Amino acid sequence: MKALFAAGAVCCVLAASAQAEVIGEVNTAFKLIGPSHKVEVQVFDDPKVAGVSCYLSRSKTGGITGALGLAEDKAEASVACRQVGEIRFNGNIPPKEEVFSERASLIFKHVRVVRMADAKRNALIYLVYSDRLIDGSPKNSVTAVPVPAATRIPMGK
């Protein structure tokens, strides 16, 4: 029972570490009923790399369907990750790993941010894209965070 509780607590901590905080938003189209369409700016910290935060901007659909959580948000998003403190790694970093995911429709669409490690250039690359169960979108955005030369990326599998 203790092991089950501990596993659940670890899952909750890991899930909470990849949650985004809303920084602000701007309205892009007025809706008479329900919230307006908007672009929202969020920030999240990389769960395995202390000192790196990612700023994500993405469209949010308003109206009645948006208010009820039934709308499908557009696949347009942008990401900018920056060093905001001393970079420290929490264990080995795989060559590619999803660090953030948020639903963009009721069940079938997500906005995802994937971290890729470029050990040769000692940099972390972050890619944002949208996927859908059947047909995803090629729209994407990429950013890179150089790791200080004195700090090597601990590569894992």
Side-chain angles (χ1 to χ4, degrees):
M1 185 62 132
K2 288 181 183 178
L4 182 62
F5 177 77
V10 168
C11 289
C12 290
V13 168
L14 290 177
S17 66
Q19 296 296 315
E21 171 188 343
V22 175
I23 297 295
E25 61 189 40
V26 294
N27 291 337
T28 59
F30 174 76
K31 298 301 284 182
L32 187 59
I33 300 175
S36 296
H37 297 316
K38 61 186 172 185
V39 173
E40 186 175 86
V41 176
Q42 304 170 322
V43 64
F44 66 91
D45 298 324
D46 188 318
K48 286 192 179 175
V49 184
V52 174
S53 293
C54 294
Y55 295 86
L56 180 67
S57 68
R58 55 183 289 240
S59 61
K60 295 279 199 161
T61 304
I64 295 171
T65 56
L68 296 174
L70 302 174
E72 182 172 312
D73 294 333
K74 294 186 180 192
E76 292 136 7
S78 180
V79 67
C81 298
R82 299 293 185 261
Q83 180 179 352
V84 295
E86 179 186 351
I87 292 181
R88 292 186 322 272
F89 294 95
N90 181 13
N92 288 339
I93 301 298
K96 181 176 76 174
E97 180 178 29
E98 184 175 287
V99 294
F100 178 81
S101 177
E102 187 172 271
R103 142 181 112 76
S105 73
L106 187 59
I107 53 176
F108 295 119
K109 189 175 186 181
H110 288 86
V111 172
R112 301 184 189 278
V113 178
V114 174
R115 177 195 344 96
M116 298 175 197
D118 182 355
K120 180 178 177 182
R121 292 162 192 83
N122 211 36
L124 300 170
I125 295 81
Y126 296 83
L127 169 73
V128 63
Y129 68 99
S130 178
D131 68 359
R132 188 188 291 166
L133 185 62
I134 303 298
D135 183 28
S137 172
K139 295 179 181 179
N140 64 81
S141 176
V142 68
T143 187
V145 177
V147 177
T151 305
R152 301 307 296 170
I153 300 172
M155 294 299 292
K157 294 181 180 182

